[in-house]
Amino acid sequence: MNGTARIDVSREQVLRYRVAAHGFDRASRAPEVLALGVQDTPYGSAPVALAARGASSGGLERVWSMRGAPHLHRRAELATLARALWPLDDADATARISTSAIKEGAKLGLAAYRVTAEAFRRTVVEPMGKGVVSTAVSAAVPESLTYWCAPCGARHISGLLFQQAGLFGSVRVGTDRGKTVLSPLGSPFPVPDAAAGTGDLIGACLRFLGPAGRAEVAAFLGTRPTAIRSAWPDGLVEVAVDGVPAWLPESEADALRGAPRTDAVRLLPPGDPYLQAGDRSLLLPERARQKELWRAVGGPGAVLAGSEIVGTWRVRGSGRRAEVTVTGFGALSAAVRGALEAEAQTVAGARGAEEGIVRFA
C-alpha cells in the first residue's frame, strides 16, 4: 500500500486491461501469465489456453500447484513456486486442507504438509500410478490425515492434502492411457523450510486477475483472507471498480488507465487463467450465464470477443478432425463468426488434430 491516489475505473476498463495482460494479442510466444501457471482441467485444456495466447506447451511441466489442481508451469520456476506456495504458518496450512474428512488431522498444520511431501519423495522414485502412490503415502502419514473408504475397505489420505503436497514432494503429474501417472521431477528441489516469495505470487495474482481484493486472491490460492494478511505486498494502488474497492500493483496503473480496445476473438477452455478471477459477476454480469459457464463438472469453454464473453463452446474430436460447437448468448456478428472459423483451427492444432471446424448451435 502507498499514498498514491485511488483510481476510479469502469468495468469495461478492467476487462480491457485483463485482456491485454493475458496476452490475447499473441504478441509473445511466452505469455507472462505463466507466472500463475495454466490449469489443465480437464486434461488437455492447458495447451488450448496457451494457443489462445499464441503459445505452446513445449518446455513446461505439469504439476499439482494452485489449490492442488494440475497446472503447466515453467520448469525453471518450480522451486521458486514451491516456496511461494508453501503455507505461511500453521493456521494457513490448516485453512488449506481443513475438511470434514480430516478435521483433526488438519490441525497438524505445516507438519501435515511436510510429512506428506517427504512420503512422496520416498515413494515416487520412478513413474507410478496415482493409486499405488496414494496407498503408499497413506500408510506413511499419521492416521489423522487419512479417512476410511468403505468401498475400498481401506484408509486414504485426504485428496486435498495429497495433491497440494505433490509439488513439495517434487512430483510431476502425467497420464498414460487415461490414467494419472506420477514421477519424480528431473530437477528435484528440497521441501521448503518456510514460505518465501508469497508476496510476489500475490502480486502476480493481482496483476492478471485484478484489480481484486484479499478475498479473491485467497480463494485463488485456496486459503482464507486472514491467512495471507502477513504476505500482502506493498506497492499497490487502490482501485475502485464502479465504486467497489480493489487493489492492483502500482506498476500496472498506467496499463489500466490506457488499456486499448480489441476486436480479437478467442476460444478459452474451461479453467483458462482469464476465467479464474474471483469476480465472476464482473466478467459475466448475467447470473444465468454464469451458471452456464462455470459448472462444477463438465463446464464449457468461453467465447471471448473483444473484452466480453459472448457465448460458450465445446469440442468433440473424431480422428483427425476437431469439431467446435459454439452457443452464442445472443446473435453473433458476421465478423465474430468468421473469426471463430480460424479459432477452431487453433483449437484443433492444440489438440493434435489436423482440421478444425466450427458449428453454431
Side-chain angles (χ1 to χ4, degrees):
M1 318 270 179
N2 54 46
T4 302
R6 189 181 77 172
I7 301 173
D8 288 274
V9 296
S10 66
R11 169 182 177 271
E12 183 178 1
Q13 281 178 279
V14 172
L15 295 181
R16 288 185 198 172
Y17 164 79
R18 289 187 188 172
V19 166
H22 276 256
F24 291 127
D25 59 359
R26 294 176 175 159
S28 172
R29 298 291 294 175
E32 295 181 13
V33 74
L34 280 168
L36 296 181
V38 179
Q39 188 167 330
D40 197 32
T41 309
Y43 177 74
S45 61
V48 177
L50 289 164
R53 295 161 172 81
S56 72
S57 56
L60 302 179
E61 199 73 82
R62 190 172 187 260
V63 297
W64 287 319
S65 61
M66 312 292 178
R67 307 171 305 282
H71 284 69
L72 295 186
H73 291 275
R74 299 185 182 101
R75 292 190 181 103
E77 297 175 356
L78 290 178
T80 299
L81 176 67
R83 291 191 293 271
L85 277 180
W86 186 256
L88 293 161
D89 51 29
D90 284 327
D92 184 20
T94 296
R96 298 190 193 195
I97 61 173
S98 184
T99 65
S100 59
I102 59 164
K103 185 175 181 180
E104 290 302 313
K107 296 177 182 178
L108 292 174
L110 289 169
Y113 278 85
R114 187 167 300 282
V115 70
T116 306
E118 291 172 348
F120 266 118
R121 289 167 185 264
R122 292 193 303 270
T123 301
V124 184
V125 296
E126 62 182 2
M128 304 173 67
K130 178 183 175 183
V132 175
V133 175
S134 176
T135 298
V137 171
S138 298
V141 302
E143 186 174 290
S144 62
L145 297 176
T146 68
Y147 65 95
W148 177 255
C149 176
C152 296
R155 298 195 70 85
H156 296 308
I157 186 171
S158 161
L160 190 59
L161 171 60
F162 183 72
Q163 295 193 191
Q164 286 191 53
L167 176 62
F168 309 132
S170 203
V171 168
R172 69 159 58 94
V173 183
T175 62
D176 182 16
R177 288 173 288 186
K179 294 185 178 181
T180 299
V181 175
L182 307 180
S183 57
L185 289 170
S187 299
F189 45 82
V191 177
D193 291 325
T198 308
D200 292 336
L201 181 59
I202 291 173
C205 292
L206 292 172
R207 179 184 176 192
F208 295 104
L209 305 178
R214 190 175 284 121
E216 288 78 21
V217 173
F220 180 79
L221 296 176
T223 188
R224 296 173 184 164
T226 54
I228 59 172
R229 186 183 300 276
S230 64
W232 197 250
D234 294 323
L236 304 180
V237 61
E238 185 177 0
V239 179
V241 184
D242 289 336
V244 179
W247 299 95
L248 187 76
E250 187 178 11
S251 59
E252 299 299 307
D254 288 342
L256 175 62
R257 292 188 185 99
R261 291 181 180 273
T262 177
D263 295 324
V265 175
R266 301 288 183 260
L267 291 171
L268 311 185
D272 187 279
Y274 185 82
L275 303 176
Q276 295 286 341
D279 49 2
R280 292 178 176 179
S281 60
L282 186 140
L283 292 177
L284 193 56
E286 300 86 355
R287 188 172 297 276
R289 301 304 189 195
Q290 293 175 28
K291 292 181 179 179
E292 289 181 46
L293 180 59
W294 286 287
R295 297 184 183 180
V297 179
V303 179
L304 182 68
S307 56
E308 294 289 348
I309 296 173
V310 298
T312 62
W313 66 279
R314 295 183 182 275
V315 62
R316 293 175 53 191
S318 178
R320 55 185 289 273
R321 173 181 290 188
E323 182 176 306
V324 174
T325 300
V326 171
T327 303
F329 292 150
L332 301 177
S333 70
V336 169
R337 293 169 72 95
L340 286 171
E341 299 282 352
E343 291 307 302
Q345 188 60 45
T346 298
V347 169
R351 290 169 55 88
E354 297 178 15
E355 180 185 10
I357 61 172
V358 63
R359 301 190 186 281
F360 297 94

